[in-house]
Amino acid sequence: MSRSLIVQFKNSEDEICGPTIDVPLDSSVDQLTTLLNQILENEERLPYLFYVLKENKEEVEIVDGINEAVSSAAHSTETVLSIRFVPQALFRVRPVTRCTATLPAHAEAILTVQFSPNGADLATGSGDTTVRLWDVSSQTPRRKLDGHKGWGLCVVW
């Protein structure tokens, strides 16, 4: 049995992308992603999902490697295998670099917060044994609820 396979990458519109390439049967999704990024000349490495087509036109996702997908799709290693690729959503989380508002009335750290059901008010519980209710739009305190013997660890409307 051949240890490599001729593949052709196609996008979701079934357009051919790049040349046919001889790849090892044990190629992983990570290796296919690296190869496709080089073919598409992406400046940043983008993640992709890969699929092969069965004879009944059902797609099989390449999860571990090409070999498993080829086996389940009953594809011959003597013909060109079309691999459809789909870009995955790319989320980049950027750190917060500035504070937009402060609630300066508590004497200790705020330990819990809860918005009111209508979103107009905010309740905060603190290490100073107080609970405060705030007007969200003006960012001003509405009421101070003291008399607690311990930290305000949980607030619920």
Side-chain angles (χ1 to χ4, degrees):
M1 182 173 159
S2 174
R3 299 300 312 149
S4 65
L5 185 67
I6 306 293
V7 300
Q8 176 69 66
F9 288 107
K10 293 184 178 183
N11 63 19
S12 55
E13 286 81 36
D14 210 33
E15 298 168 339
I16 293 175
C17 298
T20 55
I21 300 173
D22 190 7
V23 298
L25 269 175
D26 61 353
S27 296
S28 67
V29 171
D30 190 52
Q31 291 168 325
L32 290 174
T33 299
T34 301
L35 179 61
L36 183 60
N37 275 293
Q38 289 174 352
I39 289 170
L40 298 177
E41 298 176 353
N42 293 334
E43 291 182 19
E44 288 185 52
R45 187 177 191 274
L46 301 175
Y48 292 96
L49 294 176
F50 298 96
Y51 300 91
V52 296
L53 201 61
K54 284 184 170 182
E55 289 179 14
N56 64 359
K57 305 295 183 195
E58 180 183 335
E59 290 184 331
V60 176
E61 182 178 355
I62 300 174
V63 178
D64 297 318
I66 295 177
N67 198 21
E68 290 81 12
V70 168
S71 298
S72 65
H75 182 78
S76 168
T77 58
E78 296 177 4
T79 60
V80 175
L81 175 68
S82 292
I83 298 179
R84 189 174 70 83
F85 63 91
V86 178
Q88 289 182 305
L90 186 62
F91 297 99
R92 291 192 177 91
V93 178
R94 293 193 172 101
V96 176
T97 57
R98 62 188 169 90
C99 181
T100 59
T102 59
L103 304 173
H106 283 290
E108 294 289 331
I110 294 174
L111 303 174
T112 183
V113 297
Q114 177 75 44
F115 282 98
S116 65
N118 66 4
D121 296 302
L122 180 73
T124 58
S126 172
D128 64 6
T129 68
T130 64
V131 172
R132 292 184 185 262
L133 305 180
W134 303 83
D135 181 313
V136 173
S137 61
S138 67
Q139 301 171 8
T140 57
R142 287 190 193 265
R143 173 178 260 158
K144 177 182 175 184
L145 308 172
D146 49 9
H148 301 91
K149 296 189 189 299
W151 295 349
L153 297 175
C154 181
V155 291
V156 177
W157 289 93

